[in-house]
Structure formats: C-alpha cells, structure tokens
Amino acid sequence: MVNSLHIGLIMDGNGRWATARHLPRTAGHLAGLKALKRVALGAIRNNVGYLTLYCFSTENWKRPKEEVDYLMGLFSEKVTGELPFFNDNGIRLLFLGDMFPLPSEAQEALHFVIEKTAANDRLIVQLAINYGGQDEICRAVNRALEKGISRITPDVIRSNFDNPEVPPVDIIARSAGEMRLSNFLIWDAAYAEFVSYEKLWPDWDEYDIVNIIKAFGQRNRKFGGLGK
Ligand code: IPE
Ligand code: IPE
Ligand code: MG
C-alpha cells in the first residue's frame, strides 16, 4: 500500500561539500548518493508515499564533461548496484524526464531497475534525470497534440506527464540554502509548499525527512480558498 505524501527533493550542495574537503566535485556526488539512501530509509520509516529526486537537470549538461560523465556513470552503475537495497526496502523506481539523450548504458540500467522494482509498493521514487519542468510541459503538450487533442487544458497537460498516476508534489525541499526551484516540478509546484535548509545534501540523513514532514504539518494549505 502506497501512502500519499509526496516530497520532492532538490539535492544541492554536493560540489560545495567536496570543495570544503579539498576533494574533487565528483566525491561530493558519491557522498550524495549515500545521503540519498539514508533519506530514502527515513522516508519509508515516516510513511512517505512518494519521493521525487532531482538528480540531473536539463541545464546540468552545461557542466564540465568530466563531471557529466561521472554522473552518467553513477546513473548506470550505482542504480543497478543498489537493486538489492531497493528490493529489500520495497522501493519502486520510476523515471522522470527525457531519457533519450542519456548514454545507452544508463538507459539500459534504468529500464532494468524500473522493471525489477515494479512490484514494490512501500515507497515510489521518481528519479528526475535530464529533467526540466519546462521540458516536461512541452513534452506533455506534444504528446497531446500527437493524440489529436487540439485544445490544451491543465488536465490535458497533467494527464500527459511521464507518470501521470503520481500525485502532485506536496512539499519541495532544497538543501544547501538556495531559494529557487531551478526548473524542478514547476507545474506541480503551483500549490506545493517549499522549504530550504542550509545543510549540504551529502550531510542529510533520515532526520531531515522528519523535519520536512514537521514543517509541512504546520502549513495551512489553502489552494486559493480560505483554508482551515
Ligand atoms: C547538486 O549538487 C547535484 C547536481 C546538480 C547533480 P551541485 O553539484 O549542484 O553542488 P553545488 O551547488 O555546486 O555545491
Ligand atoms: C539543481 O541544482 C539541479 C539538481 C539538484 C539536480 P543546480 O545546482 O543545478 O541548480 P542552480 O544552477 O544552482 O540553480
Ligand atoms: Mg548546485
């Protein structure tokens, strides 16, 4: 049974974490992956239903080739390497974004883990890779047009997203203190709550999920009405 709370995470600060330790930026990404596992376990223990993880934006291709190649390598090797972790903990993986420009090894690895975790239902994790909110909206509109739909409405766009069955994000949390969305989930952010924490992503653990849930519980969501 999947619970309904949906948390989106902008996992930022890997580079700053590594630089502070006189390490290459790639070491920060590896440490970020370890943080991700702690946070995912925290999400399961605290009955979160959905996590959407911002792993690589449509703009992150602007980074040095070495860093991009390292991240693409992580998406292929680590994703399959962590299959026992996903299955032991009931984690189902979904892909969010435009997979086509990724290296074929990464695409194969992602298809593989998506298939091998399809029966899990404790936590749904959307991996946002080569994801951009603007690109997501354009791809949804193009899908609708290809189906012959000539009138675009909010429902048409939402129902043509990559995983329309995933409910809109409830709360977006960003690490490393930045106060922007950086093209993350911009459609569903319409009424999402937002929190930002100074802590750099590789330092996150399961208690940071508890803090997000607490912050969310204190918000009065009004959706344009008068609220509670
Ligand atoms: C986030 O950390 C990870 C990715 C964008 C892939 P950064 O790499 O952006 O870390 P900072 O912002 O440079 O510290
Ligand atoms: C957003 O972080 C993308 C991911 C976390 C994958 P960035 O570090 O790329 O965002 P900006 O450039 O600071 O806005
Ligand atoms: Mg950053």
Side-chain angles (χ1 to χ4, degrees), residues 156-167:
V156 165
I157 292 182
R158 188 64 178 68
S159 63
N160 280 285
F161 275 179
D162 294 332
N163 305 310
E165 70 283 10
V166 173

Side-chain angles (χ1 to χ4, degrees), residues 37 41 44 76-93 112-114 116-117 120 122:
K37 289 175 70 178
L41 291 177
I44 291 169
S76 40
E77 285 153 37
K78 298 291 176 188
V79 164
T80 36
E82 295 296 346
L83 186 58
F85 172 79
F86 302 135
N87 282 337
D88 290 350
N89 293 291
I91 297 172
R92 178 177 182 187
L93 294 184
F112 178 76
V113 288
I114 289 164
K116 294 289 178 197
T117 62
N120 297 338
R122 280 184 81 189

